[in-house]
Amino acid sequence: MKILLINGVNLDMLGVREPDIYGAKTLEKINSDLLQEAKKLNVDIEFVQSNIEGEIVDYIHSGRLYDGIILNAGAYTHYSIAIRDAISSISTPCVEVHLSNVHKREEFRHTSVISAVCVGVIAGFGEKSYSLALHALADKK
Ligand code: DQA
């Protein structure tokens, strides 16, 4: 099983950015911990990150070649119809992930334009949100 983990806008700043909300770990460390976990599950996982909406769209299209996508689109979650259309243009299951519980935060974060085209949503468990998504996809095979 092959999974693509896509992190979107501003997630390259993890560890530096609002650690009280997003935690103190860098994206590099989160990814390397997840790689170890994926190995235990016998799952191949690849990691990409971009701050550019169109690049994220291209990564989602490349998700056609994978068995599952884990996507934290960052702020694009709340308004990018382009990212939503990219997810619905492929048949690979995509899990929407957020480190923070977006529903406990500002009202503009309560809207997701991508949830309806994702197989599921995981939010609020910090870096563990990624691991929960990995397990959810691994169990689906
Ligand atoms: C986020 C939540 C978004 O509202 C925010 O814009 C992010 C990170 C999260 O992981 O909690 O950049 O997706």
Side-chain angles (χ1 to χ4, degrees):
M1 176 180 233
K2 268 178 72 176
I3 289 178
L4 180 64
L5 170 47
I6 306 172
N7 270 291
V9 62
N10 291 314
L11 291 155
D12 54 330
M13 294 299 283
L14 290 177
V16 176
R17 172 190 186 203
E18 301 177 273
D20 47 318
I21 298 174
Y22 299 117
K25 263 196 198 175
T26 62
L27 184 58
E28 205 181 359
K29 177 71 176 134
I30 290 174
N31 286 349
S32 68
D33 288 350
L34 213 62
L35 181 64
Q36 296 315 312
E37 218 176 315
K39 277 186 187 155
K40 286 186 212 147
L41 295 170
N42 217 10
V43 167
D44 286 333
I45 187 164
E46 284 169 34
F47 306 94
V48 291
Q49 187 276 330
S50 178
N51 292 322
I52 302 165
E53 188 180 20
E55 249 173 43
I56 297 167
V57 165
D58 286 341
Y59 285 136
I60 293 166
H61 293 168
S62 78
R64 278 194 317 254
L65 307 173
Y66 294 77
D67 303 299
I69 298 173
I70 300 170
L71 172 65
N72 184 349
Y76 289 138
T77 305
H78 312 301
Y79 64 90
S80 174
I81 306 301
I83 288 177
R84 178 197 167 106
D85 285 352
I87 299 166
S88 56
S89 72
I90 59 166
S91 56
T92 310
C94 179
V95 180
E96 175 184 345
V97 162
H98 302 284
L99 292 141
S100 64
N101 180 353
V102 283
H103 299 287
K104 259 169 94 173
R105 301 182 61 198
E106 302 94 325
E107 199 149 340
F108 63 85
R109 294 185 206 276
H110 300 179
T111 300
S112 166
V113 297
I114 67 171
S115 298
V117 291
C118 287
V119 282
V121 182
I122 298 169
F125 298 98
E127 63 181 280
K128 213 174 165 218
S129 293
Y130 294 108
S131 154
L132 291 167
L134 172 67
H135 281 267
L137 285 171
D139 284 352
K140 263 176 104 55
K141 73 178 152 182

